[in-house]
Amino acid sequence: MTQRYIITAEIADREPDGLNPEDGSPVYRMLPSRQTWSADPSMTIGEIMQKVDRTRNVYRVTITEDSSDQKPW
């Protein structure tokens, strides 16, 4: 079995959802999503974090050990 790490980034994108009736300011709706990568355990935390797309609104990153014997898709 080859050991791998699974990286999950939780993302909070948003889209316009109308105007505030009190002052006319824009109101946004949050669109939560996740993106997942796999990484070799020999990679440093810095290298792993480079895999995370920082241009998106990432608010949490979780790194877990893959316990599966199957190869990634």
Side-chain angles (χ1 to χ4, degrees):
M1 176 172 88
T2 302
Q3 186 179 16
R4 307 272 310 157
Y5 288 134
I6 304 299
I7 304 139
T8 303
E10 295 186 45
I11 302 163
D13 287 330
R14 66 182 192 166
E15 71 177 15
D17 194 27
L19 299 175
N20 183 330
E22 293 180 11
D23 64 4
S25 63
V27 176
Y28 296 93
R29 175 176 25 180
M30 188 176 122
L31 301 170
S33 64
R34 289 186 178 162
Q35 191 167 355
T36 305
W37 302 267
S38 66
D40 188 273
S42 66
M43 294 177 73
T44 66
I45 291 293
E47 291 170 329
I48 289 172
M49 293 308 292
Q50 286 178 356
K51 288 187 145 215
V52 177
D53 182 7
R54 294 183 181 267
T55 61
R56 306 210 33 212
N57 298 319
V58 174
Y59 67 91
R60 181 181 300 149
V61 175
T62 307
I63 301 173
T64 55
E65 196 175 306
D66 184 6
S67 59
S68 171
D69 289 335
Q70 299 177 357
K71 293 182 179 180
W73 292 91

